[in-house]
């Protein structure tokens, strides 16, 4: 009995121009999936967001590249500084070694022990001053 009532209501609504059925498969009559590949119109807001996203990506890529360059540059500078510092210390020590060589050659013919002692003390003080200048105490 209920089915008769339902069918009568459908007839009346379709005669009155009311469609009670909901067509959930609106694109069922379109064959294939071609309708799914149609370009979607983007709103101006989404275009603006996409532009901002592209700008942020560009900034990020540039920042990463800049940081990599910074790491390489500081690493290279650190190596150069260590090499230069070692070179400077060796050059300063060469002066002291030259003084010791001169003192050794003079000691062979020296008759006064006091003069030899004074010369060795001067060289020792020179070495100590150079080391203190480099931070060694």
């Amino acid at each position: 009995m209920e089915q008769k009532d339902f069918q009568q209501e459908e007839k009346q609504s379709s005669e009155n121009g009311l469609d009670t059925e909901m067509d959930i498969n609106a694109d069922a009559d379109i064959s294939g999936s071609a309708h799914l590949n149609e370009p979607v119109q983007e709103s101006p807001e989404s275009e603006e967001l996409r532009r901002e996203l592209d700008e942020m990506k560009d900034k990020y890529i540039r920042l990463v590249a800049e940081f990599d360059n910074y790491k390489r540059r500081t690493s290279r500078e650190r190596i150069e500084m260590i090499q230069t510092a070692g070179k400077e210390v060796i050059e300063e020590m060469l002066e002291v070694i030259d003084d010791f060589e001169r003192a050794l050659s003079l000691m062979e013919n020296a008759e006064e022990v006091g003069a030899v002692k004074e010369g060795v003390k001067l060289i020792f003080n020179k070495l100590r001053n150079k080391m203190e200048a480099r931070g060694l105490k």
Side-chain angles (χ1 to χ4, degrees), residues 14-98:
S14 63
E15 289 172 4
N16 294 337
L18 299 172
D19 191 11
T20 59
E21 281 188 39
M22 192 176 200
D23 189 11
I24 60 173
N25 293 323
D27 61 349
D29 58 338
I30 301 175
S31 64
S33 61
H35 63 286
L36 299 175
N37 295 330
E38 293 175 2
V40 178
Q41 291 291 341
E42 290 189 12
S43 67
E45 296 162 347
S46 64
E47 289 176 11
E48 177 68 21
L49 290 174
R50 182 162 311 282
R51 187 185 59 74
E52 287 179 23
L53 177 64
D54 289 342
E55 286 178 11
M56 294 305 242
K57 281 181 184 178
D58 185 54
K59 285 181 183 179
Y60 175 74
I61 290 170
R62 290 177 186 272
L63 185 62
V64 168
E66 187 176 323
F67 183 67
D68 284 343
N69 290 338
Y70 168 76
K71 286 193 313 187
R72 278 192 293 261
R73 185 176 63 247
T74 56
S75 176
R76 186 174 50 243
E77 287 173 355
R78 189 178 316 120
I79 290 170
E80 288 174 1
M81 184 173 61
I82 290 169
Q83 289 173 344
T84 304
K87 179 183 173 186
E88 290 173 3
V89 169
I90 290 172
E91 287 175 353
E92 288 179 6
M93 293 302 114
L94 284 176
E95 294 176 22
V96 176
I97 290 173
D98 289 341

Side-chain angles (χ1 to χ4, degrees), residues 86-126:
K87 179 183 173 186
E88 290 173 3
V89 169
I90 290 172
E91 287 175 353
E92 288 179 6
M93 293 302 114
L94 284 176
E95 294 176 22
V96 176
I97 290 173
D98 289 341
D99 290 344
F100 269 120
E101 286 178 348
R102 281 192 293 274
L104 285 174
S105 66
L106 291 175
M107 272 197 262
E108 291 177 10
N109 300 330
E111 294 180 9
E112 278 189 48
V113 177
V116 172
K117 283 183 181 180
E118 186 65 31
V120 171
K121 282 182 184 178
L122 288 173
I123 296 171
F124 174 73
N125 287 334
K126 184 176 188 179

